[in-house]
Amino acid sequence: MREIILLKYGEMALKGLNRSTFEDVMLRNVRRRLKQVGAFAYTKAQSTVYVMPQAESDAACSEMLEAAMKELRYVFGIAALCRAVECEKDFADITAKAVPYLADALGSAQTFKVEAKRSDKGFPMKSPEICRELGGILLQEYSHLRVDVNNPDIIVTVEVRDTHAYVHAAKEKGAGGLPVGTAGNGLLLLSGGIDSPVAAWMMAKRGVRVTAIHFASPPYTSERAQMKVEQLCEKLLPWCGSMAFFCVPFTEIQEVLQRQCPEEYFTILMRRLMMRIAEQIARQNDCDALITGESLGQVASQTMQALACTDAATALPVLRPLIGMDKTEIVEISRKIDTFETSILPYEDCCTVFTPRHPKLRPKLDDVVAAEQGVGFDAMIAEAVAGTTKKIFAYHSQ
Ligand code: ATP
Ligand code: MG
């Protein structure tokens, strides 16, 4: 028996005129993702993408499907995925294949119903008739089952399409969201902590292609701390796709800041300097927004007044997807996306090295601007931008 994968869109199905652009981007992402798995053919119809393995034997196809399902769970834009058996467009063939194919799913269920979708209106049976007939046969074959049309354990779906009919039972939840690449490019300020990788995942889920930037302050921060950040990039690749990573030499700026500026403003000034550098790197790399892992009230630099001072340092929009989330909710996502264990490795970040004893909780922009006057940061920013290194992390199927 030959199987294929059906990919169902979520929110994308609601798009009006733009829909085909969203579909095209998703299909491109799916193709790219499965290139290393093997040769597949693709078609799309009615909010569904059909992924068909092109191998000689059923066994080889089945292996490819297994690997493809693993990859596709990470692809945003897919609301649900299901494996389905391919049948001839002939009711006898549909039942002959459906009965053995559904053995596992129906064996462990108590109730079921059959749904039919008929995009080929030339098929001799209408949908209610397909449901009734196939339902009857399944009841005969699996005598422990009952039909429950309102709340069945299993919904058996028959889809009669252009060239074949397909039968499937179980739907698996997909990554949801919108396809990466449909919402523009964003530059993520990536620390080694728990929050910023989660912010990356959340924006990728809304269709943003993410590029990362990290500020390193050797020797205050170690090489291992930077390796940890790079490892976080790698962890994000299955969701975000290949990613460019920029590393900014930040030591001199932090030392000058510490020597010449009032201690209570260290953190807020540092964040403003990060924004100004990130903005330049963003503009050079076609990114239209900055992304951070800030969450309201989490630390002194994340009060409303402090965020306002940070925002004032850049003309780019700053996206903060975690702004209203509790730490426990953020940790839950970081575990789910498998960045948590890396994030809690104990290497220092440049922020922690230079933390003031009594940071200003409600800084006023005028005072902050006054505190950074006359230090000559412009030249240091230019130097840091010039010294920034770039690395590309390419995604490879696992
Ligand atoms: P995280 O868990 O992401 O480190 P945090 O709660 O420790 O966040 P801060 O250290 O105040 O908060 O940093 C707030 C945000 O600033 C981070 O989420 C990240 O986006 C950015 N940031 C902080 N330090 C760095 C750094 N060294 N390089 C790049 N971005 C940074
Ligand atoms: Mg941090």
Side-chain angles (χ1 to χ4, degrees), residues 189-191 193-196 213-215 271 274 291-294 298-299 301-302 327 349-351:
L189 282 77
L190 180 63
S191 67
I194 294 170
D195 303 333
S196 39
I213 184 169
H214 176 69
F215 297 84
R271 307 215 35 80
M274 283 184 179
I291 303 166
T292 75
E294 289 160 312
Q298 197 186 78
V299 288
S301 61
Q302 297 173 24
K327 197 73 184 186
D349 180 60
C350 63
C351 302

Side-chain angles (χ1 to χ4, degrees), residues 115-259:
E115 283 182 354
K117 290 182 193 154
R118 211 173 47 121
S119 59
D120 173 8
K121 302 295 179 201
F123 191 72
M125 294 165 78
K126 295 209 162 110
S127 295
E129 197 182 348
I130 299 174
C131 296
R132 207 170 46 238
E133 294 293 321
L134 182 61
I137 291 169
L138 292 174
L139 275 175
Q140 267 173 20
E141 296 288 332
Y142 299 97
S143 52
H144 68 285
L145 285 179
R146 274 185 303 112
V147 172
D148 181 346
V149 290
N150 297 316
N151 189 24
D153 295 341
I154 297 277
I155 299 176
V156 172
T157 307
V158 182
E159 305 194 18
V160 184
R161 302 277 185 172
D162 284 352
T163 60
H164 290 88
Y166 304 95
V167 177
H168 56 91
K171 244 197 229 171
E172 194 179 307
K173 205 162 177 261
L178 298 171
V180 168
T182 56
N185 302 325
L187 183 62
L188 167 78
L189 282 77
L190 180 63
S191 67
I194 294 170
D195 303 333
S196 39
V198 173
W201 179 82
M202 288 184 69
M203 294 324 300
K205 187 167 193 263
R206 294 311 297 165
V208 174
R209 179 162 292 289
V210 175
T211 295
I213 184 169
H214 176 69
F215 297 84
S217 302
Y220 304 102
T221 58
S222 65
E223 206 170 302
R224 281 190 308 184
Q226 191 182 326
M227 276 164 56
K228 167 182 167 179
V229 175
E230 296 190 6
Q231 202 176 324
L232 285 170
C233 282
E234 305 252 11
K235 292 269 184 187
L236 289 168
L237 298 183
W239 306 100
C240 298
S242 298
M243 191 189 284
F245 170 75
F246 293 91
C247 192
V248 184
F250 206 48
T251 315
E252 193 200 347
I253 289 186
Q254 284 201 302
E255 286 178 340
V256 169
L257 216 168
Q258 200 178 24
R259 270 202 309 272

Side-chain angles (χ1 to χ4, degrees), residues 335-356:
R335 285 188 192 279
K336 176 173 123 176
I337 65 174
D338 194 30
T339 52
F340 183 75
E341 296 300 330
T342 307
S343 289
I344 59 172
L345 293 173
Y347 310 126
E348 63 299 312
D349 180 60
C350 63
C351 302
T352 35
V353 178
F354 294 90
T355 306

